[in-house]
Amino acid sequence: MIKLKIKTGDTVRVIAGDHKGSEGKVVSVDREKNKAIVEGVNMVSKHTKPSAKSPQGGIVKKEAPIHISNISLIDPKTKKATRVGSKVEGDKKVRVSKKSNQVL
């Protein structure tokens, strides 16, 4: 399991694939599979059978996971996609934007 530079709650932009250019907030991150679920991106139609939870059944739209390599963090200062580095400030290790050198 490797350390990922994307965390839950980050605002990201899709940089490759069918949804290139779309932005959203990271809902969850799967570190084992190197995938993240981004709000409103990579929507898929899931066919559900009628059950106690949904007596009607039907087609449900939901977000599918997208690979970490296809998303890039958005710098809050420049509003552009940026790479992420790390820096030690005092006794804490913090994430830093490579474009603006600002703490994320």
Side-chain angles (χ1 to χ4, degrees):
M1 203 163 43
I2 51 173
K3 178 126 170 51
L4 301 176
K5 296 179 179 188
I6 304 286
K7 291 184 179 179
T8 304
D10 287 343
T11 307
V12 294
R13 180 177 292 140
V14 180
I15 56 172
D18 294 338
H19 304 280
K20 183 177 179 175
S22 53
E23 296 178 14
K25 203 173 193 178
V26 176
V27 178
S28 68
V29 177
D30 185 358
R31 288 177 55 195
E32 276 82 36
K33 295 180 181 172
N34 287 342
K35 291 182 180 254
I37 295 177
V38 182
E39 205 172 74
V41 177
N42 200 18
M43 299 296 280
V44 292
S45 300
K46 183 168 172 54
H47 297 263
T48 57
K49 288 173 89 174
S51 65
K53 192 175 181 183
S54 60
Q56 189 65 36
I59 301 168
V60 177
K61 289 271 197 187
K62 62 181 278 185
E63 292 103 352
I66 188 167
H67 200 270
I68 291 286
S69 66
N70 295 336
I71 58 178
S72 180
L73 197 69
I74 294 180
D75 190 339
K77 189 176 180 184
T78 61
K79 304 289 185 218
K80 292 184 177 176
T82 181
R83 298 190 321 276
V84 180
S86 60
K87 191 194 310 188
V88 177
E89 280 189 0
D91 58 342
K92 275 210 173 251
K93 189 176 179 183
V94 292
R95 294 185 306 159
V96 178
S97 165
K98 290 279 191 177
K99 277 209 170 139
S100 65
N101 211 19
Q102 191 177 20
V103 176
L104 299 169

